[in-house]
């Protein structure tokens, strides 16, 4: 495996240009107009899997966007690692805030890759492809490999559960390796051992049957925007506690010992605040910033709209107002149960002056991975090999709903070995990914294969 650095140096420019070829395709799963781009991206990746050394690869249809499946079976008696990743990306808007480059015109600047998908997840997925290529081209692949790369992660992986159930035999593996998470810092490697679940809702509040003149009706008729803002503000209290009845009933409380272990991770509060330009932090009372995003649930408004927002004045009481609200969940909470609790609560607190409609957009369950497995040991050893220090197990604040689904449907554990950084601005304008992390990922992944294959023999 020591040859990996030389291989990276030899093929460095090609790796970047091939990644750029994928990043230039606007594979935005949330927008119907980008459906042709989803297929273009899938075909591009299929070609790269075959070029890397796979026995076969194909673009497989689902009820939504396609899945790319590929495999390299060198010996049926050897263990199998399945690579999961996603090629869809978040919408790029607001476009005017992309100041380094346009969203789908990737560039290298300041030793970083800039563009939508640089980190999440095209860049990290491409690390897996190039590590696989190295092992195939140099005869160092120690086990079988399968790929399952989807195009709906950013919209909740709505078709993947059925896909997995239909293809359980095809997707058989000993572990699922995922690079779609991050590290604590550039010099502090980590393995993500927990992810929060997600419950994503849309609400609509309707008042009068049309927009009304705010002078003729203001003060006498409920303004749906005013009502919606009040309803949202009452979803949390002064201690950052979510007020939905029954919301915390199933929350798995983390032990003092585990909280102490998490506290070992370096964290600079002032640097954190400065990095996102805020004066102070907020959150649930009694928990640190890392705990609030790792082991505690949260509720946030992701968007709110209604009324007149164009230039100039239009003095109206809008007929309707809407919002999108996400709830990040922790182990033992069930997304479907939280959906029902949220809907019941939101309708209960609505005044009689308005009508309320609540829609569930998508959801997924939280995931916790044990650290006493062969896969975790392999990931830890691989990161220690290339970074020169033992990684810290962490819990991520984000959600990858399919990780819990894989265990439920396929019966396969996942290992989350990501190389992103907090500063990569995923889901935001000016998304980026340091070249160091990109190439360090390619360098590290083959070591995981080596240690995992050795561990499975024992």
């Amino acid at each position: 495996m020591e040859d990996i650095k030389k291989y990276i140096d030899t093929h460095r420019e090609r790796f970047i240009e091939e990644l750029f070829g994928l990043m230039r395709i606007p594979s935005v799963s949330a927008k119907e107009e980008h459906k042709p781009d989803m297929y273009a991206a899938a075909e591009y990746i299929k070609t790269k899997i075959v070029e890397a050394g796979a026995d076969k690869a194909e673009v497989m249809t689902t009820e939504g966007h396609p899945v790319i499946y590929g495999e390299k079976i060198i010996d049926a008696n050897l263990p199998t690692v399945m690579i999961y990743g996603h090629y869809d990306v978040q919408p790029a808007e607001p476009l005017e805030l992309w100041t380094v480059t346009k969203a789908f015109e990737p560039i290298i600047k300041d030793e970083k890759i800039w563009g939508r998908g640089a980190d999440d997840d095209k860049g990290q997925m491409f690390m897996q492809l190039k590590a696989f290529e190295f092992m195939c081209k140099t005869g160092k692949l120690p086990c079988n490999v399968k790929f399952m790369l989807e195009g709906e992660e950013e919209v909740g992986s709505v078709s993947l559960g059925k896909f997995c159930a239909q293809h359980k035999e095809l997707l058989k593996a000993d572990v699922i390796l995922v690079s779609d998470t991050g590290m604590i810092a550039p010099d502090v490697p980590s393995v993500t051992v927990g992810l929060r679940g997600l419950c994503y809702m849309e609400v609509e509040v309707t008042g009068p049957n049309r927009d009304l003149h705010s002078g003729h009706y203001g003060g006498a008729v409920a303004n749906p925007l005013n009502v919606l803002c009040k309803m949202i503000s009452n979803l949390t209290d002064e201690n950052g506690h979510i007020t939905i009845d029954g919301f915390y009933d199933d929350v798995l409380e983390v032990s003092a010992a585990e909280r102490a272990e998490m506290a070992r991770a370096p964290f600079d509060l002032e640097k954190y605040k400065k990095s996102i330009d805020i004066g102070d932090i907020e959150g649930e009372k009694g928990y640190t910033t890392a705990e609030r995003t790792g082991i505690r649930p949260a509720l946030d408004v992701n968007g709110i709209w209604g009324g007149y927002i164009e230039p100039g004045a239009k003095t109206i009481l809008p007929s309707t107002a809407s919002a999108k609200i996400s709830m990040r969940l922790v182990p033992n909470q069930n997304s479907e149960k939280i959906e029902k609790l949220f809907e019941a609560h939101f309708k209960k607190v609505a005044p009689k002056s308005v009508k309320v409609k609540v829609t569930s957009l998508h959801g997924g369950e939280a995931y916790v991975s044990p650290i006493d497995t062969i896969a975790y040991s392999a990931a830890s050893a691989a990161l220690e090999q290339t970074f020169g220090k033992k990684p810290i197990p962490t819990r991520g604040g984000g959600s990858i709903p399919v990780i819990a689904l894989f265990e439920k449907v396929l019966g396969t554990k996942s290992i989350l070995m990501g190389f992103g950084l907090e500063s990569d601005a995923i889901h935001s304008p000016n998304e980026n990914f340091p070249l160091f992390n990109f190439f360090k990922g390619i360098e590290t992944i083959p070591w995981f294969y080596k240690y995992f294959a050795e561990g499975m023999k024992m």
Side-chain angles (χ1 to χ4, degrees), residues 319-351:
S319 173
T320 64
S322 302
K324 293 182 189 290
I325 298 171
S326 66
M327 289 158 282
R328 299 290 174 168
L329 311 179
V330 295
N332 283 15
Q333 286 186 297
N334 177 269
S335 61
E336 292 183 2
K337 179 179 178 180
I338 296 299
E339 285 174 10
K340 293 182 175 64
L341 292 175
F342 176 89
E343 181 174 4
H345 178 89
F346 212 71
K347 289 181 175 179
K348 177 183 174 183
V349 300

Side-chain angles (χ1 to χ4, degrees), residues 13 19 23 27 41 56-57 70-71 123 147 159 167 187 194 207 217 219 262 294 337 344 360 364 434 439 448:
E13 291 184 10
L19 171 59
M23 290 176 62
S27 48
K56 66 175 184 178
E71 65 178 31
F147 291 89
S159 305
H167 301 285
D187 59 343
Y217 293 93
M262 289 179 62
K337 179 179 178 180
S360 172
F439 291 118
F448 170 84

Side-chain angles (χ1 to χ4, degrees), residues 29-30 53 130 143 211 252 264 302 307 351 354 400 435 446:
S29 54
K130 295 300 117 181
C143 60
D211 291 351
L252 182 65
R264 291 198 307 112
N302 304 123
V354 298
I400 310 179
L435 287 170

Side-chain angles (χ1 to χ4, degrees), residues 27-141:
S27 48
V28 181
S29 54
K31 294 190 173 185
E32 184 65 25
E33 63 263 33
H34 286 294
K35 192 167 185 177
D37 298 312
M38 301 303 295
Y39 278 88
E43 290 290 343
Y44 184 93
I45 295 165
K46 181 193 79 171
T47 299
K48 295 306 172 188
I49 292 174
V50 173
E51 290 176 355
D55 299 327
K56 66 175 184 178
E58 59 183 311
V59 175
M60 303 179 69
T61 59
T62 72
E63 292 179 351
H65 298 304
V67 169
I68 307 111
Y69 173 81
E71 65 178 31
K72 177 78 171 179
I73 308 299
I74 59 176
D75 187 337
N77 295 314
L78 289 175
T80 299
V81 174
M82 183 159 70
I83 304 303
Y84 165 80
H86 65 94
Y87 62 92
D88 65 320
V89 296
Q90 286 276 328
E93 288 80 2
L95 300 179
E96 67 275 11
L97 297 185
W98 287 83
T99 57
V100 178
T101 186
K102 293 181 179 179
F104 299 105
E105 296 179 8
I107 64 169
I108 301 292
K109 184 179 179 181
D110 300 328
E111 291 299 303
K112 294 180 179 181
I113 303 164
W114 297 83
R116 177 57 89 222
D119 173 335
D120 183 23
D121 181 44
K122 291 179 177 179
Q124 295 215 57
M125 179 184 67
F126 230 71
M127 297 184 314
Q128 294 285 352
L129 290 179
K130 295 300 117 181
F132 171 71
E133 175 190 308
F134 159 73
M135 292 182 288
C136 289
K137 301 301 184 185
T138 59
K140 299 183 188 300
L141 187 64

Side-chain angles (χ1 to χ4, degrees), residues 239 259 283-289 291-292 295-296:
N239 294 319
R259 290 177 70 179
E284 188 178 0
K285 187 176 181 179
Y287 295 90
T288 67
T289 299
E291 289 174 336
R292 288 167 179 165
I295 64 173
R296 299 299 293 172

Side-chain angles (χ1 to χ4, degrees), residues 172-192:
K172 268 189 165 182
D174 294 284
V175 70
I176 299 172
L177 180 60
V178 183
S179 291
D180 192 18
T181 52
M183 299 166 46
I184 294 172
D187 59 343
V188 185
S190 53
V191 179
T192 301

